[in-house]
């Protein structure tokens, strides 16, 4: 924000110094807002670190929690055994360094999962559950229409609810991703690929569970 030569040139076309000064003032406000947000993220990272140090049971971390850890990577060592993190590629790279392919990212996830004894649900076109025992499961459900804001929050909620009901974390992450994908498929059929929202996915979780359990019953009978 120190260089305003370009802004000054643009402002000259639209009112001279008055517009230039207004633009500079606006950018200062944006700069201040960024600083304040960084301070909040730093504070949140500290709070999260305190929580993790007191936890012994698995936790599920997504979105801002992962961004907080990216600011203080040492917190990764405080994650309870079999905790679940659910990063998309951008969040994964902020945590573990830049990767230029899905395969490179997957190999790194396998290494990290084994080293830290945690579960990594790496969200992508083919979401992969990476386990500490070096096993990898690829989810077969879902549609491109699920690439919408808040979809990951719904996934986190499903996984967390399953763990709260007593299912093992590795089972909860696996089943949760599958159910989440089925709910997305139902929502896509109803709303179209471009019309799906996170609320549509959440609203169809019940239908997805019913559909999955029905399939399981049929397979057991056969």
């Amino acid at each position: 924000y120190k260089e305003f030569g370009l802004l000054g040139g643009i402002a000259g076309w639209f009112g001279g110094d008055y517009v230039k000064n207004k633009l500079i003032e606006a950018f200062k406000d944006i700069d201040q807002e960024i600083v304040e947000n960084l301070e909040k993220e730093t504070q949140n990272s500290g709070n999260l670190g305190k929580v993790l140090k007191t936890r012994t049971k698995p936790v599920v971390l997504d979105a801002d929690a992962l961004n907080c850890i990216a600011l203080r990577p040492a917190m990764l060592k405080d994650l309870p055994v079999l905790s679940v993190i659910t990063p998309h590629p951008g969040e994964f790279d902020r945590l573990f360094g830049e990767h230029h392919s899905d395969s490179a990212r997957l190999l790194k996830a396998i290494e990290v999962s084994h080293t830290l004894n945690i579960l990594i649900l790496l969200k992508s076109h083919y979401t992969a559950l990476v386990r500490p025992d070096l096993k990898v499961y690829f989810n077969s459900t879902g549609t491109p229409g699920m690439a919408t804001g808040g979809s990951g929050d719904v996934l986190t909620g499903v996984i967390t609810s399953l763990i709260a009901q007593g299912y093992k974390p590795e089972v909860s992450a696996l089943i949760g991703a599958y159910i989440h994908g089925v709910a997305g498929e139902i929502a896509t059929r109803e709303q179209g690929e471009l019309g799906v929202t996170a609320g549509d996915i959440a609203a169809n979780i019940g239908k997805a569970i019913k559909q999955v359990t029905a399939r399981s019953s049929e397979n057991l009978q056969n």
Side-chain angles (χ1 to χ4, degrees):
Y1 302 120
K2 294 180 180 178
E3 299 296 333
F4 289 99
L6 178 59
L7 286 177
I10 295 172
W13 292 94
F14 299 101
D17 290 339
Y18 175 78
V19 176
K20 177 181 176 180
N21 291 334
K22 285 296 182 183
L23 286 171
I24 292 173
E25 184 179 336
F27 269 76
K28 285 182 178 178
D29 290 341
I30 293 172
D31 191 37
Q32 180 62 30
E33 185 176 338
I34 291 172
V35 170
E36 290 175 356
N37 286 336
L38 286 174
E39 288 175 351
K40 289 178 182 177
E41 286 188 7
T42 302
Q43 182 180 357
N44 289 338
S45 293
N47 292 336
L48 178 60
K50 293 176 183 177
V51 171
L52 292 179
K53 287 183 180 296
T54 63
R55 295 291 299 176
T56 56
K57 294 184 178 180
V59 296
V60 182
L61 301 176
D62 183 32
D64 281 345
L66 300 181
N67 291 331
C68 286
I69 293 177
L71 292 175
R72 298 185 179 184
M75 284 195 289
L76 285 166
K77 296 180 180 179
D78 294 326
L79 293 177
V81 171
L82 293 182
S83 288
V84 184
I85 64 173
T86 64
H88 57 57
E91 291 167 339
F92 186 89
D93 285 1
R94 283 195 287 275
L95 284 168
F96 306 113
E98 187 176 359
H99 297 78
H100 299 288
S101 67
D102 289 338
S103 58
R105 208 168 277 116
L106 181 60
L107 289 173
K108 183 63 176 180
I110 293 171
E111 174 193 328
V112 172
S113 174
H114 181 68
T115 301
L116 298 179
N117 205 11
I118 61 173
L119 298 156
I120 300 178
L121 192 65
L122 185 54
K123 297 180 291 192
S124 65
H125 184 63
Y126 294 105
T127 293
L129 174 62
V130 182
R131 299 183 4 165
D133 58 6
L134 305 182
K135 292 182 179 179
V136 179
Y137 296 85
F138 291 93
N139 186 48
S140 60
T141 63
T143 75
M146 297 176 69
T148 183
S151 176
D153 297 325
V154 178
L155 172 61
T156 300
V158 174
I159 295 172
T160 303
S161 70
L162 290 170
I163 293 177
Q165 293 176 61
Y167 292 95
K168 293 181 179 180
E170 61 270 33
V171 174
S172 299
L174 187 67
I175 296 176
Y178 190 89
I179 290 173
H180 181 255
V182 173
E185 292 172 354
I186 297 171
T188 299
R189 288 196 295 269
E190 294 176 350
Q191 306 295 336
E193 221 171 64
L194 298 179
V196 175
T197 67
D200 296 325
I201 300 172
N204 282 291
I205 293 296
K207 292 179 183 177
I209 293 174
K210 185 176 181 180
Q211 184 173 309
V212 171
T213 53
R215 287 178 188 172
S216 298
S217 297
E218 290 176 4
N219 290 335
L220 288 174
Q221 291 174 1
N222 295 331

